[in-house]
Amino acid sequence: MDTAKKKDIRALTKEQLRDFFESKGDKPFRGNQVYEWLWQKSAHSFDAMTNVSKETRQMLTDNFVINHIKVDQMQRSKDGTIKNAVRLHDDLVVESVLIPTKTRTTACVSSQVGCSLDCKFCATARLKRMRNLNPDEIYDQVVAIDNESRLYFDRPLSNIVFMGMGEPLMNYNNVLKAIDKITSPEGLGMSPKRITVSTSGVPKMIKKMADEQVKFKLAVSLHSAIDEVRTSIMPFNATFSLHDLREALEYWYQMTKSRITYEYVVWEGINDTQEDVDALVAFCGFAPSKVNLIEYNPIDDDMFRQASGSALEMYVATLEKNGIIVTVRRSRGKDIDAACGQLANKS
Ligand code: SAH
């Protein structure tokens, strides 16, 4: 059989794999064994499955491929951050990042090749969306970073953020399937509480997540709580307005009682006035919230400049006065273009 026509075996659920073995006159239990090799042990080839007979391995080779990702290039920042350029089976490339701190290792993973949104301040937006990542391609990025964490920092991965390339809620089904594998004891067995999905805010999908009672955390890239300002820097806001976003977030909180985190960059002349911070307070005051003030990572553009320290202080003071938790987040991995918004397959 032509390789191009063979199916990626990791697109199958465990049930489907069991059925496949049964249809070949074998025991369904073989499906469990192979499934464990594919997910828990991250086997890259059928030949690695040593407790499976040679004939069965050949039969699998005849029917399927294992489309494993390949870390093509690894760059290390002076602050310890690692960026992987990850080659997919069709030769497209995405990036993922390992961010170490004293106590944690966080994986920042991609959900799409490129991105369909057009945030003016983000380097990934310039790549346009080429395709969605499959669940196994998302899972493999996490496994690769877990391995690097063990190798270079002597500890397993502790947290995952979907803040790499792409808009996770525009590849919702695959992101959820990947998270299922990451949290399942048959995969990595990680707690969903250690996973954050970051979105520019797709109201319909936020409501769907609320309905499905997902257990991971939600972060919203807000950057402005004033429609005209937000639309000017995140043009899709013209379609998904702040009103709809707010309504979806209220629903999310009502259903999950889970705190919402907002990501926010303060730019000079764009959102650095008292009016901007007052709008932010009014927007997120309805539920327990946390605002992460992210440092701007320049992307060769004259339009955006990080606001002054005094503007940041005004944000911090006003948010705190209103009982909103606020953190000022320093960028990591800037020297290797691994910081927020810098992932653009430059290498
Ligand atoms: N599409 C998702 C996840 C990817 S972006 C989302 O929008 O949330 C991850 C975070 O980096 C987002 O909060 C995004 O707004 C922010 N970001 C994008 N470009 C940036 C830049 N140049 N500097 C700082 N943060 C940036």
Side-chain angles (χ1 to χ4, degrees):
M1 200 190 285
D2 179 1
T3 313
K5 294 210 185 73
K6 289 189 204 172
K7 198 172 167 159
D8 179 10
I9 190 164
R10 290 192 303 165
L12 269 56
T13 62
K14 190 151 102 181
E15 268 321 301
Q16 289 168 327
L17 206 50
R18 286 169 60 91
D19 291 348
F20 170 77
F21 277 100
E22 205 166 13
S23 75
K24 295 282 177 190
D26 205 335
K27 295 191 188 67
F29 169 73
R30 287 263 168 267
N32 298 23
Q33 270 183 325
V34 170
Y35 193 83
E36 190 177 317
W37 276 108
L38 291 173
W39 294 103
Q40 217 165 13
K41 300 183 186 156
S42 285
H44 288 220
S45 76
F46 295 114
D47 279 337
M49 303 180 179
T50 45
N51 62 352
V52 176
S53 74
K54 211 168 165 212
E55 295 72 50
T56 305
R57 288 184 334 229
Q58 187 56 50
M59 188 268 288
L60 289 171
T61 309
D62 291 342
N63 285 278
F64 297 108
V65 287
I66 304 177
N67 281 339
H68 223 282
I69 63 159
K70 191 167 155 267
V71 176
D72 241 9
Q73 194 193 32
M74 195 192 101
Q75 286 171 278
R76 290 192 80 173
S77 154
K78 26 182 209 292
D79 67 20
T81 302
I82 293 176
K83 181 168 83 172
N84 292 333
V86 169
R87 190 170 294 277
L88 309 171
H89 69 91
D90 52 2
D91 269 344
L92 291 172
V93 174
V94 292
E95 293 177 332
S96 29
V97 183
L98 177 162
I99 307 148
T101 66
K102 272 207 196 91
T103 51
R104 292 176 171 197
T105 305
T106 301
C108 174
V109 297
S110 294
S111 56
Q112 298 180 314
V113 187
C115 189
S116 51
L117 300 182
D118 45 7
C119 303
K120 299 291 179 214
F121 45 82
C122 180
T124 307
R126 297 181 181 170
L127 295 177
K128 306 295 171 214
R129 189 194 79 98
M130 280 169 267
R131 71 170 172 86
N132 285 338
L133 292 187
N134 296 324
D136 48 295
E137 292 169 327
I138 298 170
Y139 182 84
D140 288 352
Q141 294 176 64
V142 174
V143 172
I145 291 182
D146 185 38
N147 290 337
E148 288 168 351
S149 180
R150 289 166 198 270
L151 184 64
Y152 297 109
F153 301 95
D154 225 7
R155 61 189 187 206
L157 176 67
S158 61
N159 297 74
I160 301 172
V161 294
F162 281 80
M163 295 187 190
M165 294 174 163
E167 169 48 51
L169 297 195
M170 296 207 164
N171 185 18
Y172 181 78
N173 289 338
N174 290 352
V175 165
L176 251 72
K177 280 186 194 159
I179 292 178
D180 274 349
K181 290 276 178 345
I182 293 164
T183 52
S184 153
E186 287 174 331
L188 295 177
M190 272 181 80
S191 163
K193 295 197 182 75
R194 294 177 172 275
I195 301 175
T196 301
V197 170
S198 174
T199 177
S200 289
V202 187
K204 198 173 82 187
M205 303 316 285
I206 292 173
K207 284 187 177 164
K208 192 169 153 90
M209 279 163 57
D211 282 334
E212 292 178 357
Q213 293 280 311
V214 298
K215 295 286 178 278
F216 50 79
K217 294 189 194 156
L218 174 66
V220 177
S221 301
L222 195 64
H223 303 306
S224 174
I226 300 174
D227 264 317
E228 305 82 81
V229 177
R230 195 166 193 258
T231 302
S232 73
I233 55 177
M234 303 170 82
F236 68 89
N237 185 70
T239 321
F240 304 129
S241 71
L242 284 167
H243 172 271
D244 295 352
L245 177 58
R246 161 74 183 251
E247 191 192 67
L249 291 172
E250 283 182 26
Y251 187 68
W252 161 268
Y253 184 69
Q254 193 188 320
M255 298 295 281
T256 64
K257 293 286 173 276
S258 168
R259 183 176 78 183
I260 302 160
T261 297
Y262 297 94
E263 294 154 275
Y264 202 103
V265 179
V266 188
W267 289 286
E268 201 178 291
I270 292 180
N271 57 356
D272 59 351
T273 68
Q274 187 69 49
E275 189 195 345
D276 292 291
V277 63
D278 289 345
L280 172 59
V281 169
F283 185 89
C284 59
F286 70 93
S289 312
K290 177 174 154 190
V291 174
N292 270 337
L293 295 176
I294 320 177
E295 193 182 343
Y296 175 56
N297 303 303
I299 57 156
D300 315 327
D301 193 309
D302 295 336
M303 189 173 157
F304 296 96
R305 209 150 357 118
Q306 169 78 47
S308 64
S310 59
L312 280 183
E313 281 164 25
M314 175 191 68
Y315 262 88
V316 172
T318 309
L319 289 165
E320 283 182 344
K321 198 172 76 196
N322 286 279
I324 297 164
I325 302 168
V326 52
T327 57
V328 181
R329 208 165 75 192
R330 293 281 314 280
S331 272
R332 304 286 306 272
K334 257 195 202 177
D335 54 333
I336 54 166
D337 284 325
C340 283
Q342 290 188 317
L343 301 184
N345 292 345
K346 264 198 201 166
S347 51

